[in-house]
Amino acid sequence: MARQNRRYEDFDWHPHFDENYAGTGKGFAEMESGYRYGYDLSQRYEGRDWSDIEADARADWEAQHPDRDWDNFLEAIRYGWSRPRARSDFEQYHSTNYAGTGKGFAEMETAYEHGYNYAFNERHRDRRWDDIEPEMRQAWTQRHGDRERTDARDAARYGFEHGRSDYAGTGKGWAEGYDQS
């Protein structure tokens, strides 16, 4: 499936912000510059790996935002870079695994995002699916009720594992020993 370019506004950045920055004293308006910058990088450097562009991205960020420390915005930037790329993969996975089920991508996208956001959260990075799934299920139920829990579980797991893989590309955390089972 060809990647469809989505506008920055087509993504909901708030769940990631809520999971990673709520209670830190940082406001969404402050961190949004990181999300937008990461998104812009994903469009400018489509098809390239984060490790290939990180040094240039940092130099560019520091030139454009001399008053904003790269390390304080890196998580938002990295998420902004990864999220549009992941959505395309979610759509492809969905069309392969849910074709003919009557489950449209739009109704399952929230579950993919739920898992993906968990993988990018510092509290969950080194955890395995079996360890985190009960907590994710509880958070899902609080937000969405029991809506399509079985299908949502599968989509959330794919989102989580995809997010772990994307996050591993940053050189942080659990990159070795990854097991998709």
Side-chain angles (χ1 to χ4, degrees), residues 30-106:
E30 175 186 3
M31 298 311 296
E32 186 175 23
S33 62
Y35 292 121
R36 183 173 290 279
Y37 182 72
Y39 169 84
D40 290 345
L41 289 172
S42 77
Q43 304 304 297
R44 188 177 346 149
Y45 295 107
E46 184 174 351
R48 303 221 9 228
D49 290 331
W50 176 255
S51 60
D52 294 338
I53 66 130
E54 185 174 10
D56 291 339
R58 181 180 187 141
D60 186 48
W61 171 267
E62 290 172 345
Q64 289 182 35
H65 306 280
D67 59 330
R68 295 187 175 206
D69 182 60
W70 169 261
D71 292 328
N72 290 334
F73 287 83
L74 180 57
E75 292 298 321
I77 293 167
R78 182 72 169 107
Y79 186 79
W81 158 267
S82 298
R83 184 64 189 91
R85 298 158 61 101
R87 186 177 200 276
S88 179
D89 292 342
F90 297 158
E91 289 173 326
Q92 184 172 1
Y93 175 85
H94 190 84
S95 69
T96 301
N97 292 281
Y98 291 95
T101 67
K103 302 276 183 211
F105 177 76

Side-chain angles (χ1 to χ4, degrees), residues 82-175:
S82 298
R83 184 64 189 91
R85 298 158 61 101
R87 186 177 200 276
S88 179
D89 292 342
F90 297 158
E91 289 173 326
Q92 184 172 1
Y93 175 85
H94 190 84
S95 69
T96 301
N97 292 281
Y98 291 95
T101 67
K103 302 276 183 211
F105 177 76
E107 69 182 287
M108 298 299 292
E109 183 175 14
T110 303
Y112 292 111
E113 290 179 358
H114 183 68
Y116 194 79
N117 289 335
Y118 259 74
F120 267 78
N121 184 305
E122 187 174 315
R123 295 174 299 165
H124 310 304
R125 285 190 192 127
D126 293 322
R127 296 176 68 191
R128 298 174 56 84
W129 171 257
D130 291 339
D131 298 331
I132 199 168
E133 193 266 338
E135 181 181 329
M136 287 179 64
R137 184 177 348 110
Q138 181 180 13
W140 174 266
T141 300
Q142 288 174 345
R143 291 182 187 134
H144 307 286
D146 282 339
R147 185 184 96 198
E148 305 295 330
R149 191 164 58 187
T150 301
D151 289 337
R153 179 188 182 279
D154 295 339
R157 180 176 184 161
Y158 182 79
F160 179 73
E161 299 296 359
H162 194 291
R164 286 182 58 165
S165 178
D166 282 355
Y167 191 80
T170 66
K172 298 180 181 177
W174 53 271

